[in-house]
Amino acid sequence: MREANIKLARARLELEAERKGVDISVSLNFMNPDSFLSEDGNVNAEAVTEFVSSLAPSKPAFNQDVLRNAGNHEMYARPDRHSPESFKGLSKAQIAKLVASGALDKLIR
């Protein structure tokens, strides 16, 4: 039973680390698995959460918007770059304001 709980604790650590954006793959080999078991031998969820929270994130959390906006090049375009497509729907006054502000200097030249 103890071995099963150690495997469960390890799985819980990996899951919690993935949620928090922490890489613990190397650390797992050096950890004392008993430190994540409670006195009755079950997984101590509080100890797992506390340990993982004490580590600095090694990778950014997964950004769900990356998949939602795949192919949306406008989202990642630099604001100082304009193309003729970016003028669709703009009024003459809005375009004049962009010209006056100098935001279109590179496009006009």
Side-chain angles (χ1 to χ4, degrees), residues 85-105:
E85 292 294 314
S86 63
F87 298 113
K88 286 185 177 179
L90 292 181
S91 68
K92 288 182 181 181
Q94 290 171 317
I95 294 172
K97 188 175 180 180
L98 286 171
V99 170
S101 71
L104 304 178
D105 287 348

Side-chain angles (χ1 to χ4, degrees), residues 16-27 52-62:
E16 190 68 24
E18 186 64 32
R19 285 183 183 156
K20 302 282 185 181
V22 176
D23 182 12
I24 63 167
S25 57
V26 175
S27 305
V52 173
S53 296
S54 72
L55 302 174
S58 60
K59 55 187 175 182
F62 180 70

Side-chain angles (χ1 to χ4, degrees), residues 7 9 11 15 17-18 21 33-34 52 55 66 70 79-81 89 97 100 103:
K7 287 181 182 180
L15 177 65
E18 186 64 32
D34 290 327
V52 173
L55 302 174
V66 171
D80 63 335
R81 293 189 179 167
K97 188 175 180 180

Side-chain angles (χ1 to χ4, degrees), residues 2-92:
R2 181 179 173 280
E3 285 299 315
N5 284 341
I6 287 175
K7 287 181 182 180
L8 188 59
R10 183 181 173 109
R12 180 80 184 244
L13 277 164
E14 291 171 345
L15 177 65
E16 190 68 24
E18 186 64 32
R19 285 183 183 156
K20 302 282 185 181
V22 176
D23 182 12
I24 63 167
S25 57
V26 175
S27 305
L28 281 174
N29 297 326
F30 302 103
M31 287 186 218
N32 178 6
D34 290 327
S35 61
F36 300 104
L37 299 179
S38 60
E39 291 177 11
D40 61 358
N42 291 320
V43 177
N44 184 343
E46 187 177 308
V48 170
T49 303
E50 185 178 318
F51 173 74
V52 173
S53 296
S54 72
L55 302 174
S58 60
K59 55 187 175 182
F62 180 70
N63 183 355
Q64 302 267 336
D65 288 335
V66 171
L67 292 180
R68 279 191 218 115
N69 294 311
N72 182 355
H73 304 293
E74 291 297 319
M75 179 180 165
Y76 302 104
R78 288 182 35 198
D80 63 335
R81 293 189 179 167
H82 294 282
S83 69
E85 292 294 314
S86 63
F87 298 113
K88 286 185 177 179
L90 292 181
S91 68
K92 288 182 181 181

